[in-house]
Amino acid sequence: MTATVPAVPAHSPGSPALISFRNTVKHFPGPDGGFTALGGIGLEVAEGGFTAIVGPSGCGKSTLLAIAAGLVEPTSGEVLLDGRPVSGPGPDRGVVFQQYALFPWLTVRANVEFGLRTARVPRAERRRRAQHFIDLVGLADFADALPKTLSGGMKQRCAIARAYAADPRILLMDEPFGALDSLTRSQLQEQLLQTWERERRTVLFVTHDVDEAVFLASRVIVMASRPGRIDRTVEIPLPYPRTRATRLTAEFTALRTELWQAVQRSEPTTRPASEATQEN
Ligand SMILES: Nc1ncnc2c1ncn2[C@@H]1O[C@H](COP(=O)(O)OP(=O)(O)OP(=O)(O)O)[C@@H](O)[C@H]1O
Protein backbone atom coordinates (compact mmCIF):
# COMPACT_ATOMS: atom_id res chain seq x y z
CA MET A 1 0.00 0.00 0.00
CA THR A 2 1.23 3.48 -0.82
CA ALA A 3 0.85 6.29 1.66
CA THR A 4 -0.78 9.54 0.64
CA VAL A 5 1.87 12.18 0.15
CA PRO A 6 1.24 15.89 -0.28
CA ALA A 7 1.72 17.57 -3.63
CA VAL A 8 5.36 18.56 -4.06
CA PRO A 9 5.60 22.29 -4.77
CA ALA A 10 7.25 22.97 -8.13
CA HIS A 11 9.30 25.61 -6.41
CA SER A 12 9.42 26.22 -2.68
CA PRO A 13 10.54 29.72 -1.80
CA GLY A 14 14.01 29.50 -0.31
CA SER A 15 14.94 26.16 -1.89
CA PRO A 16 17.44 26.36 -4.76
CA ALA A 17 15.90 25.97 -8.21
CA LEU A 18 17.04 23.02 -10.30
CA ILE A 19 16.30 24.89 -13.49
CA SER A 20 15.91 28.65 -13.85
CA PHE A 21 14.89 30.74 -16.83
CA ARG A 22 16.26 34.25 -16.42
CA ASN A 23 14.61 36.84 -18.67
CA THR A 24 14.82 34.33 -21.53
CA VAL A 25 13.95 35.84 -24.91
CA LYS A 26 13.67 34.02 -28.24
CA HIS A 27 13.35 36.04 -31.42
CA PHE A 28 13.21 34.25 -34.76
CA PRO A 29 14.59 36.61 -37.40
CA GLY A 30 12.75 36.98 -40.69
CA PRO A 31 11.35 39.46 -43.19
CA ASP A 32 9.07 42.07 -41.55
CA GLY A 33 11.28 42.05 -38.44
CA GLY A 34 10.83 38.37 -37.55
CA PHE A 35 8.84 36.97 -34.65
CA THR A 36 9.36 37.17 -30.89
CA ALA A 37 8.33 33.71 -29.68
CA LEU A 38 9.35 34.29 -26.05
CA GLY A 39 9.33 37.77 -24.60
CA GLY A 40 11.37 37.41 -21.42
CA ILE A 41 10.57 34.31 -19.41
CA GLY A 42 11.37 34.13 -15.70
CA LEU A 43 10.71 30.73 -14.18
CA GLU A 44 12.19 28.66 -11.38
CA VAL A 45 11.56 24.94 -11.02
CA ALA A 46 12.64 23.22 -7.81
CA GLU A 47 14.00 19.69 -7.71
CA GLY A 48 11.47 16.87 -7.55
CA GLY A 49 8.38 18.73 -8.73
CA PHE A 50 6.06 18.04 -11.64
CA THR A 51 5.46 21.25 -13.55
CA ALA A 52 3.12 21.43 -16.53
CA ILE A 53 3.12 24.22 -19.10
CA VAL A 54 -0.14 25.00 -20.90
CA GLY A 55 -1.23 27.83 -23.17
CA PRO A 56 -2.68 28.62 -26.57
CA SER A 57 -1.13 27.20 -29.71
CA GLY A 58 1.94 29.17 -30.75
CA CYS A 59 2.59 30.76 -27.32
CA GLY A 60 6.08 29.28 -27.21
CA LYS A 61 5.69 26.18 -25.02
CA SER A 62 7.84 23.98 -27.26
CA THR A 63 10.38 26.74 -27.77
CA LEU A 64 10.73 27.09 -23.99
CA LEU A 65 11.30 23.36 -23.60
CA ALA A 66 13.72 23.24 -26.55
CA ILE A 67 15.77 26.02 -24.92
CA ALA A 68 15.88 24.03 -21.67
CA ALA A 69 16.96 20.97 -23.66
CA GLY A 70 19.76 23.01 -25.27
CA LEU A 71 18.33 22.39 -28.74
CA VAL A 72 17.47 26.06 -29.33
CA GLU A 73 19.63 28.96 -28.23
CA PRO A 74 17.90 31.93 -26.56
CA THR A 75 18.35 35.33 -28.20
CA SER A 76 19.03 36.86 -24.80
CA GLY A 77 18.75 35.88 -21.16
CA GLU A 78 19.76 32.44 -20.00
CA VAL A 79 18.71 29.10 -18.59
CA LEU A 80 20.60 27.66 -15.63
CA LEU A 81 20.58 24.01 -14.63
CA ASP A 82 21.93 23.57 -11.12
CA GLY A 83 23.30 27.09 -11.40
CA ARG A 84 25.24 26.39 -14.60
CA PRO A 85 24.22 27.92 -17.95
CA VAL A 86 22.69 25.50 -20.46
CA SER A 87 24.74 25.70 -23.64
CA GLY A 88 23.65 22.60 -25.55
CA PRO A 89 22.03 19.19 -25.09
CA GLY A 90 23.41 17.02 -22.29
CA PRO A 91 22.78 13.75 -20.46
CA ASP A 92 21.53 15.71 -17.43
CA ARG A 93 18.31 16.38 -19.39
CA GLY A 94 16.09 13.57 -20.68
CA VAL A 95 13.83 14.63 -23.55
CA VAL A 96 10.60 12.92 -24.64
CA PHE A 97 8.73 14.30 -27.66
CA GLN A 98 5.33 13.51 -29.18
CA GLN A 99 7.06 11.60 -31.94
CA TYR A 100 8.64 8.61 -30.32
CA ALA A 101 12.14 9.05 -31.76
CA LEU A 102 13.11 5.46 -31.02
CA PHE A 103 15.86 3.84 -33.05
CA PRO A 104 13.86 1.52 -35.33
CA TRP A 105 16.69 -0.99 -35.74
CA LEU A 106 17.18 -1.45 -31.97
CA THR A 107 15.04 -3.57 -29.62
CA VAL A 108 13.20 -2.00 -26.69
CA ARG A 109 16.05 -3.06 -24.39
CA ALA A 110 18.74 -1.64 -26.69
CA ASN A 111 16.78 1.62 -27.05
CA VAL A 112 16.48 1.94 -23.27
CA GLU A 113 20.18 1.12 -22.83
CA PHE A 114 21.26 3.56 -25.52
CA GLY A 115 22.11 6.55 -23.30
CA LEU A 116 23.87 4.29 -20.80
CA ARG A 117 25.98 2.78 -23.55
CA THR A 118 26.96 6.27 -24.74
CA ALA A 119 27.86 7.13 -21.13
CA ARG A 120 30.04 3.97 -21.03
CA VAL A 121 28.11 2.44 -18.15
CA PRO A 122 29.39 -1.14 -17.70
CA ARG A 123 27.25 -3.83 -19.37
CA ALA A 124 25.87 -5.48 -16.22
CA GLU A 125 24.86 -2.17 -14.71
CA ARG A 126 23.37 -1.09 -18.06
CA ARG A 127 21.29 -4.25 -18.17
CA ARG A 128 20.12 -3.84 -14.61
CA ARG A 129 19.08 -0.20 -15.00
CA ALA A 130 17.37 -0.78 -18.34
CA GLN A 131 15.47 -3.77 -16.97
CA HIS A 132 14.33 -1.75 -13.95
CA PHE A 133 12.72 0.90 -16.16
CA ILE A 134 11.40 -1.59 -18.73
CA ASP A 135 9.62 -3.35 -15.84
CA LEU A 136 8.42 -0.04 -14.40
CA VAL A 137 6.70 0.98 -17.65
CA GLY A 138 5.24 -2.52 -18.13
CA LEU A 139 7.24 -3.58 -21.19
CA ALA A 140 8.94 -6.65 -19.68
CA ASP A 141 7.30 -8.98 -22.22
CA PHE A 142 8.46 -6.77 -25.10
CA ALA A 143 12.07 -6.13 -24.11
CA ASP A 144 13.37 -7.93 -27.20
CA ALA A 145 10.79 -6.52 -29.62
CA LEU A 146 11.54 -3.97 -32.33
CA PRO A 147 9.66 -0.63 -32.24
CA LYS A 148 7.71 -1.41 -35.43
CA THR A 149 5.92 -4.24 -33.59
CA LEU A 150 4.75 -1.95 -30.75
CA SER A 151 1.61 0.18 -30.45
CA GLY A 152 1.93 3.97 -30.12
CA GLY A 153 1.43 3.78 -26.37
CA MET A 154 4.09 1.10 -26.00
CA LYS A 155 6.55 3.11 -28.07
CA GLN A 156 6.00 6.09 -25.84
CA ARG A 157 6.45 3.95 -22.71
CA CYS A 158 9.75 2.81 -24.22
CA ALA A 159 10.76 6.44 -24.85
CA ILE A 160 9.93 7.30 -21.23
CA ALA A 161 11.92 4.29 -19.93
CA ARG A 162 14.85 5.37 -22.09
CA ALA A 163 14.72 8.93 -20.74
CA TYR A 164 14.61 7.71 -17.12
CA ALA A 165 17.31 5.08 -17.59
CA ALA A 166 19.88 7.67 -18.62
CA ASP A 167 19.50 9.10 -15.08
CA PRO A 168 18.90 12.75 -15.99
CA ARG A 169 18.40 15.52 -13.43
CA ILE A 170 15.25 16.63 -15.23
CA LEU A 171 12.81 15.17 -17.76
CA LEU A 172 11.60 17.53 -20.45
CA MET A 173 8.43 16.21 -22.05
CA ASP A 174 6.76 17.90 -25.02
CA GLU A 175 3.22 16.58 -25.57
CA PRO A 176 4.43 13.00 -25.09
CA PHE A 177 0.89 11.60 -25.17
CA GLY A 178 -0.45 13.95 -27.85
CA ALA A 179 -0.63 11.31 -30.58
CA LEU A 180 -2.41 8.66 -28.47
CA ASP A 181 -6.09 7.76 -28.18
CA SER A 182 -7.78 8.98 -25.00
CA LEU A 183 -7.87 5.61 -23.19
CA THR A 184 -4.18 4.88 -23.84
CA ARG A 185 -3.41 8.46 -22.94
CA SER A 186 -5.05 8.24 -19.51
CA GLN A 187 -3.34 4.88 -18.85
CA LEU A 188 0.04 6.40 -19.69
CA GLN A 189 -0.66 9.44 -17.51
CA GLU A 190 -1.31 7.11 -14.57
CA GLN A 191 1.80 5.09 -15.30
CA LEU A 192 3.95 8.18 -15.69
CA LEU A 193 2.77 9.40 -12.28
CA GLN A 194 3.60 6.05 -10.70
CA THR A 195 7.09 6.26 -12.20
CA TRP A 196 7.49 9.88 -11.09
CA GLU A 197 6.30 9.11 -7.55
CA ARG A 198 8.80 6.29 -7.33
CA GLU A 199 11.76 8.04 -8.88
CA ARG A 200 11.03 11.64 -7.84
CA ARG A 201 12.78 13.04 -10.87
CA THR A 202 11.92 16.65 -11.76
CA VAL A 203 9.54 16.86 -14.73
CA LEU A 204 8.74 19.80 -17.01
CA PHE A 205 5.80 18.75 -19.16
CA VAL A 206 4.26 20.66 -22.08
CA THR A 207 0.64 19.91 -22.93
CA HIS A 208 -2.34 21.63 -24.48
CA ASP A 209 -4.65 19.35 -22.47
CA VAL A 210 -5.94 21.03 -19.31
CA ASP A 211 -7.18 17.76 -17.76
CA GLU A 212 -3.78 16.19 -18.29
CA ALA A 213 -2.05 19.15 -16.63
CA VAL A 214 -4.35 19.03 -13.57
CA PHE A 215 -4.02 15.28 -13.22
CA LEU A 216 -0.23 15.19 -13.45
CA ALA A 217 1.21 18.40 -12.16
CA SER A 218 1.83 19.96 -8.78
CA ARG A 219 2.05 23.34 -10.48
CA VAL A 220 0.78 24.53 -13.84
CA ILE A 221 2.33 27.45 -15.71
CA VAL A 222 -0.17 29.17 -18.00
CA MET A 223 1.47 30.94 -20.92
CA ALA A 224 0.05 33.68 -23.13
CA SER A 225 1.24 34.63 -26.61
CA ARG A 226 2.49 37.57 -28.66
CA PRO A 227 5.03 37.45 -27.24
CA GLY A 228 5.11 34.15 -25.35
CA ARG A 229 5.14 34.89 -21.65
CA ILE A 230 4.01 33.44 -18.32
CA ASP A 231 0.50 34.65 -17.66
CA ARG A 232 -0.10 32.96 -14.33
CA THR A 233 0.73 29.99 -12.15
CA VAL A 234 -1.90 27.62 -10.78
CA GLU A 235 -0.96 25.38 -7.87
CA ILE A 236 -2.57 21.92 -7.93
CA PRO A 237 -2.84 20.85 -4.29
CA LEU A 238 -4.33 17.41 -5.04
CA PRO A 239 -2.41 14.85 -2.96
CA TYR A 240 -0.35 12.11 -4.60
CA PRO A 241 -0.75 9.29 -5.40
CA ARG A 242 -3.36 10.36 -7.90
CA THR A 243 -5.44 7.63 -9.43
CA ARG A 244 -8.38 7.18 -11.76
CA ALA A 245 -10.63 8.10 -8.81
CA THR A 246 -8.86 11.48 -8.49
CA ARG A 247 -10.36 12.55 -11.82
CA LEU A 248 -13.85 12.10 -10.37
CA THR A 249 -13.39 14.28 -7.29
CA ALA A 250 -14.98 17.70 -6.80
CA GLU A 251 -11.49 19.18 -6.19
CA PHE A 252 -10.30 17.92 -9.58
CA THR A 253 -13.33 19.42 -11.32
CA ALA A 254 -12.88 22.77 -9.54
CA LEU A 255 -9.17 22.95 -10.47
CA ARG A 256 -9.95 21.96 -14.04
CA THR A 257 -12.49 24.80 -14.29
CA GLU A 258 -10.03 27.27 -12.75
CA LEU A 259 -7.34 26.25 -15.22
CA TRP A 260 -9.70 26.38 -18.20
CA GLN A 261 -10.65 29.91 -17.28
CA ALA A 262 -6.99 30.87 -16.90
CA VAL A 263 -6.14 29.42 -20.33
CA GLN A 264 -9.11 31.15 -21.94
CA ARG A 265 -8.04 34.48 -20.46
CA SER A 266 -4.57 33.94 -21.93
CA GLU A 267 -5.89 33.42 -25.50
CA PRO A 268 -4.29 35.87 -27.96
CA THR A 269 -6.11 39.07 -28.82
CA THR A 270 -6.54 40.21 -32.42
CA ARG A 271 -4.05 43.06 -32.01
CA PRO A 272 -1.27 43.12 -34.62
CA ALA A 273 1.85 41.23 -33.50
CA SER A 274 4.00 44.36 -34.05
CA GLU A 275 1.88 46.21 -31.46
CA ALA A 276 1.70 43.33 -28.99
CA THR A 277 5.46 42.67 -28.97
CA GLN A 278 6.01 46.10 -27.37
CA GLU A 279 4.44 44.84 -24.13
CA ASN A 280 7.32 43.05 -22.46
N1 LIG B 1 12.37 27.96 -36.23
C1 LIG B 1 11.38 28.87 -36.19
N2 LIG B 1 11.39 29.95 -37.02
C2 LIG B 1 10.43 30.89 -36.97
N3 LIG B 1 9.39 30.87 -36.10
C3 LIG B 1 9.33 29.82 -35.25
C4 LIG B 1 10.31 28.77 -35.25
N4 LIG B 1 9.98 27.89 -34.28
C5 LIG B 1 8.84 28.36 -33.72
N5 LIG B 1 8.46 29.49 -34.30
C6 LIG B 1 7.28 30.30 -33.96
O1 LIG B 1 7.36 30.59 -32.58
C7 LIG B 1 6.05 30.53 -32.01
C8 LIG B 1 6.07 29.57 -30.84
O2 LIG B 1 6.17 28.23 -31.35
P1 LIG B 1 6.06 26.97 -30.38
O3 LIG B 1 6.11 25.76 -31.25
O4 LIG B 1 7.08 27.10 -29.31
O5 LIG B 1 4.62 27.18 -29.76
P2 LIG B 1 3.71 26.14 -28.94
O6 LIG B 1 3.09 26.91 -27.85
O7 LIG B 1 4.52 24.95 -28.56
O8 LIG B 1 2.62 25.75 -30.03
P3 LIG B 1 1.73 24.40 -30.18
O9 LIG B 1 0.91 24.30 -28.93
O10 LIG B 1 0.88 24.71 -31.39
O11 LIG B 1 2.68 23.28 -30.38
C9 LIG B 1 5.08 30.12 -33.14
O12 LIG B 1 4.44 31.27 -33.64
C10 LIG B 1 5.99 29.52 -34.16
O13 LIG B 1 5.48 29.72 -35.46
Side-chain angles (χ1 to χ4, degrees), residues 130-201:
Q131 191 64 49
H132 170 75
F133 287 103
I134 289 169
D135 292 346
L136 210 56
V137 300
L139 283 180
D141 291 343
F142 297 88
D144 298 313
L146 288 171
K148 67 179 178 195
T149 67
L150 304 178
S151 68
M154 289 158 92
K155 283 181 196 161
Q156 206 54 308
R157 284 192 266 159
C158 180
I160 291 168
R162 184 174 65 179
Y164 267 100
D167 202 22
R169 297 296 312 280
I170 185 166
L171 285 141
L172 304 168
M173 301 191 168
D174 192 353
E175 298 256 14
F177 307 144
L180 306 176
D181 65 86
S182 59
L183 185 62
T184 309
R185 188 176 182 132
S186 54
Q187 285 168 346
L188 261 73
Q189 288 165 356
E190 284 153 27
Q191 195 172 50
L192 174 63
L193 268 195
Q194 285 163 14
T195 306
W196 174 75
E197 282 163 33
R198 236 183 116 148
E199 302 292 325
R200 285 288 165 174
R201 210 61 53 89

Side-chain angles (χ1 to χ4, degrees), residues 37-280:
L38 295 176
I41 299 288
L43 175 65
E44 308 248 299
V45 178
E47 186 139 33
F50 198 125
T51 304
I53 301 175
V54 299
S57 183
C59 71
K61 303 181 294 294
S62 295
T63 304
L64 188 69
L65 214 71
I67 289 175
L71 300 170
V72 167
E73 206 180 326
T75 307
S76 62
E78 60 182 354
V79 179
L80 304 176
L81 182 72
D82 262 340
R84 287 185 296 278
V86 165
S87 59
D92 47 8
R93 282 147 292 147
V95 182
V96 183
F97 294 113
Q98 183 172 337
Q99 290 312 323
Y100 319 114
L102 299 175
F103 299 113
W105 61 90
L106 296 179
T107 64
V108 165
R109 189 189 308 284
N111 265 287
V112 175
E113 279 188 21
F114 186 82
L116 303 173
R117 192 184 289 265
T118 314
R120 297 182 187 279
V121 173
R123 190 166 186 276
E125 173 62 8
R126 223 161 60 206
R127 272 283 143 110
R128 193 194 61 75
R129 277 194 8 213
Q131 191 64 49
H132 170 75
F133 287 103
I134 289 169
D135 292 346
L136 210 56
V137 300
L139 283 180
D141 291 343
F142 297 88
D144 298 313
L146 288 171
K148 67 179 178 195
T149 67
L150 304 178
S151 68
M154 289 158 92
K155 283 181 196 161
Q156 206 54 308
R157 284 192 266 159
C158 180
I160 291 168
R162 184 174 65 179
Y164 267 100
D167 202 22
R169 297 296 312 280
I170 185 166
L171 285 141
L172 304 168
M173 301 191 168
D174 192 353
E175 298 256 14
F177 307 144
L180 306 176
D181 65 86
S182 59
L183 185 62
T184 309
R185 188 176 182 132
S186 54
Q187 285 168 346
L188 261 73
Q189 288 165 356
E190 284 153 27
Q191 195 172 50
L192 174 63
L193 268 195
Q194 285 163 14
T195 306
W196 174 75
E197 282 163 33
R198 236 183 116 148
E199 302 292 325
R200 285 288 165 174
R201 210 61 53 89
T202 313
V203 176
L204 199 51
F205 188 103
V206 165
T207 179
H208 64 262
D209 182 333
V210 164
D211 284 32
E212 183 166 80
V214 173
F215 183 65
L216 294 174
S218 49
R219 183 173 69 152
V220 181
I221 307 296
V222 181
M223 288 183 67
S225 45
R226 298 184 174 193
R229 61 196 185 278
I230 293 176
D231 191 51
R232 75 180 278 215
T233 298
V234 178
E235 301 294 336
I236 309 293
L238 297 170
Y240 295 98
R242 297 178 187 170
T243 64
R244 209 156 293 182
T246 307
R247 301 183 202 262
L248 305 174
T249 60
E251 293 92 327
F252 184 89
T253 308
L255 286 160
R256 181 178 179 271
T257 306
E258 184 187 345
L259 195 56
W260 261 118
Q261 286 166 347
V263 172
Q264 270 162 3
R265 280 198 295 273
S266 73
E267 289 286 342
T269 65
T270 50
R271 282 172 300 160
S274 55
E275 200 179 295
T277 47
Q278 305 300 317
E279 282 173 3
N280 275 15

